[in-house]
Amino acid sequence: MYFYGTTGVNNIGHLEIGGIDTLELAKNFGTPLYVYDTALIRERARSFKKAFEEQQVRAQVAYASKAFSTIAMVQLAEEEGLSLDVVSGGELYTAMAAGFPTERIHFHGNNKSKEELEMALEHKIGCIVIDNFYEIELLKTICQEKTTKVNVLLRVTPGIEAHTHDYILTGQEDSKFGFDLQNGQVEAALTEVLSSEYFNVLGIHCHIGSQIFETTGFLLAAQKIVEKLAEWKETLSFEAKVLNLGGGFGIRYTKEDEPIPPAQYVSEIIKEVKQLVEQFSLTMPEIWIEPGRSLVGDAGITLYKIGSAKDVPEVRKYLAVDGGMSDNIRPALYQAKYEAVLANKPLAVSTQTVSIAGKCCESGDMLIWDLPLPEIEEDDLLAVFCTGAYGYSMANNYNRIPRPAVVFVENGIATLVVKRETYEDLIQLDLPLK
Ligand SMILES: Cc1ncc(COP(=O)(O)O)c(C=O)c1O
């Protein structure tokens, strides 16, 4: 039996996380319930940071808050000395409500509105990652109106798509994000921002994909960008102070996944960049990264109460839980795979294969296909592992299902950090016809 993150079995045979019995958590906070072991989040944050410190490379490790954005999580990121990546006014607002130092906030997004950019400038956030020509003009106008100057990075698409073990080199990237590195777009953008009095151009950003288990894609991206930096030093007299290589470091969702430790990604990236800047006689830039799931993914589990069952003879057995695509849309959205156990008897021998369905009125609302489990009894509780990233942050109210509560556990102490939504919350913004 493999237990994910920091889960294990306690002396009465129940699944525990962060030193707390999951049955106790379900009893005290209800189900479905997201539970995070914050000690693991801290450990991951520290290992990313330490890897840079050990090699004395100036760096920022920015938590990609899209993975899981709440006030408590942002405060945890602050406690660990991380920077923060936000992609919307809402994520920025959350960061500010959490008291996050605005100079360590990086603002992403392919369609930031005027209001969002104004908000970012008013709060003097660390930098804006410019995504397209429209944004250059918009940001210029806002800076002009506010007679201010802003730090910017340019997001480029380096023509590398990385996903798990595959990476694809594409001549021109078909992506909604960023300036194409190959077809002259990025040079045009760079010329534009460098010539403007409103921008302090810090450097270049790219994000090549997600759930990546090898360093090859990152190294290739670094190579392509640094080659361009060498060219731009000559042609545009531009030297980047920052090279941001994005997030996407893989985690173990199932036994098939074999991630490498955070320190390994970082040390190989550093080695490559150092070698490249030496080769092209450039100044070593600061290296920024933006991990999301690798900080919070396997620190989170979701607890569900098991309800109805349906047997389709000779085909499959469905078991339904009290949540589903409303709290974890990833299986429906990208066929994401998860593993799970019965929290009240995680070591019981599996005697059957079942498929875990959600309670939403949608055939596609399936959480796990073909999961080996023991016989099911009244009050059994299902614990789905590694739901910490893009679970709560993608949660929705389909079928007007209230979103679950979120609890942080650490060293035997459980803290409620997001309340369970109520039916009153659900209709809070509705207005009557008359
Ligand atoms: C620009 C950018 N940075 C960082 C991330 C975080 O990726 P991950 O959670 O896979 O680390 C994403 C994810 O979509 C992203 O788009």
Side-chain angles (χ1 to χ4, degrees):
M1 179 68 222
Y2 180 82
F3 290 99
Y4 292 79
T6 53
T7 56
V9 181
N10 65 14
N11 55 10
I12 49 169
H14 295 167
L15 184 76
E16 65 170 12
I17 177 167
I20 305 189
D21 191 320
T22 50
L23 270 64
E24 204 181 299
L25 291 167
K27 189 166 142 248
N28 293 342
F29 299 102
T31 59
L33 183 69
Y34 299 104
V35 186
Y36 286 81
D37 183 351
T38 45
L40 185 60
I41 302 178
R42 293 185 197 284
E43 186 188 311
R44 290 284 159 69
R46 288 171 197 179
S47 55
F48 273 118
K49 287 191 72 194
K50 187 162 163 241
F52 283 108
E53 282 156 15
E54 276 176 358
Q55 304 217 32
Q56 296 171 331
V57 169
R58 278 179 303 140
Q60 282 194 39
V61 177
Y63 168 54
S65 68
K66 71 205 77 177
F68 170 54
S69 169
T70 71
I71 289 180
M73 181 56 220
V74 170
Q75 288 174 337
L76 183 69
E78 211 279 300
E79 279 180 10
E80 291 304 319
L82 301 173
S83 296
L84 200 73
D85 145 10
V86 300
V87 287
S88 70
E91 285 181 1
L92 177 56
Y93 186 83
T94 306
M96 289 185 320
F100 197 88
T102 53
E103 69 279 6
R104 295 212 310 268
I105 299 178
H106 313 155
F107 196 177
H108 279 278
N110 68 311
N111 190 23
K112 305 176 196 79
S113 68
K114 185 165 193 268
E115 293 72 23
E116 287 173 321
L117 289 169
E118 282 172 347
M119 181 175 168
L121 262 57
E122 272 155 30
H123 294 280
K124 302 196 180 345
I125 72 154
C127 78
I128 307 276
V129 185
I130 297 185
D131 202 274
N132 50 61
F133 290 105
Y134 174 83
E135 190 177 346
I136 295 179
E137 293 314 311
L138 185 58
L139 200 50
K140 250 193 224 172
T141 312
I142 299 170
C143 287
Q144 196 172 17
E145 281 168 12
K146 294 189 179 299
T147 51
T148 189
K149 191 168 176 162
V150 63
N151 290 333
V152 297
L153 294 181
L154 287 193
R155 177 168 181 168
V156 303
T157 46
I160 295 156
E161 279 172 31
H163 183 73
T164 312
H165 294 292
D166 304 323
Y167 62 91
I168 307 160
L169 288 178
T170 54
Q172 271 191 341
E173 189 137 16
D174 185 4
S175 161
K176 73 170 184 173
F177 296 110
F179 299 97
D180 196 296
L181 194 66
Q182 335 266 347
N183 68 3
Q185 250 183 25
V186 65
E187 280 80 8
L190 201 51
T191 308
E192 186 83 27
V193 287
L194 286 171
S195 66
S196 164
E197 60 194 289
Y198 298 114
F199 301 129
N200 176 27
V201 189
L202 296 180
I204 301 295
H205 169 280
C206 76
H207 171 79
I208 56 170
S210 60
Q211 193 55 353
I212 303 167
F213 291 145
E214 289 168 357
T215 52
T216 325
F218 294 103
L219 306 188
L220 269 171
Q223 235 171 56
K224 288 194 164 203
I225 295 173
V226 176
E227 276 169 19
K228 283 285 186 180
L229 291 179
E231 198 181 304
W232 299 333
K233 188 178 169 188
E234 299 304 316
T235 54
L236 300 168
S237 305
F238 169 68
E239 277 213 75
K241 293 181 203 70
V242 171
L243 173 58
N244 186 333
L245 291 170
F249 314 105
I251 64 164
R252 187 167 210 177
Y253 285 103
T254 69
K255 289 180 209 67
E256 284 73 50
D257 296 333
E258 288 172 4
I260 56 176
Q264 194 178 333
Y265 289 105
V266 172
S267 62
E268 291 190 26
I269 288 172
I270 293 175
K271 201 167 132 216
E272 182 73 8
V273 177
K274 274 187 174 163
Q275 187 264 317
L276 287 164
V277 297
E278 200 178 309
Q279 181 187 342
F280 292 105
S281 309
L282 298 171
T283 312
M284 180 72 184
E286 275 187 35
I287 299 180
W288 293 5
I289 55 168
E290 296 167 339
R293 88 187 61 225
S294 54
L295 287 172
V296 297
D298 57 352
I301 62 170
T302 310
L303 300 174
Y304 299 98
K305 193 171 180 320
I306 296 177
S308 68
K310 178 185 173 182
D311 211 350
V312 186
E314 315 285 313
V315 180
R316 80 174 60 249
K317 185 168 181 181
Y318 289 92
L319 266 188
V321 294
D322 56 353
M325 65 191 291
S326 43
D327 58 78
N328 186 357
I329 203 170
R330 294 187 69 254
L333 203 56
Y334 348 90
Q335 291 79 50
K337 299 212 167 23
Y338 290 89
E339 294 200 356
V341 292
L342 294 184
N344 45 322
K345 44 187 168 188
L347 297 179
V349 176
S350 300
T351 52
Q352 57 174 345
T353 299
V354 298
S355 290
I356 307 296
K359 64 178 278 144
C360 298
C361 196
E362 179 71 48
S363 303
D365 176 27
M366 295 296 298
L367 287 176
I368 305 178
W369 293 97
D370 302 327
L371 175 73
L373 278 188
E375 288 312 305
I376 301 301
E377 293 166 315
E378 186 75 23
D379 295 331
D380 276 345
L381 197 65
L382 190 78
V384 179
F385 295 114
C386 304
T387 55
Y390 308 103
Y392 179 76
S393 64
M394 287 189 176
N396 57 80
N397 292 126
Y398 182 50
N399 292 155
R400 292 232 139 169
I401 294 174
R403 283 176 300 169
V406 184
V407 169
F408 278 3
V409 295
E410 193 163 346
N411 302 326
I413 295 170
T415 312
L416 181 69
V417 294
V418 181
K419 290 193 272 186
R420 183 174 300 282
E421 238 171 2
T422 62
Y423 290 141
E424 292 75 43
D425 292 332
L426 290 176
I427 58 163
Q428 198 185 191
L429 304 177
D430 290 11
L431 297 171
L433 194 54
K434 285 192 196 129

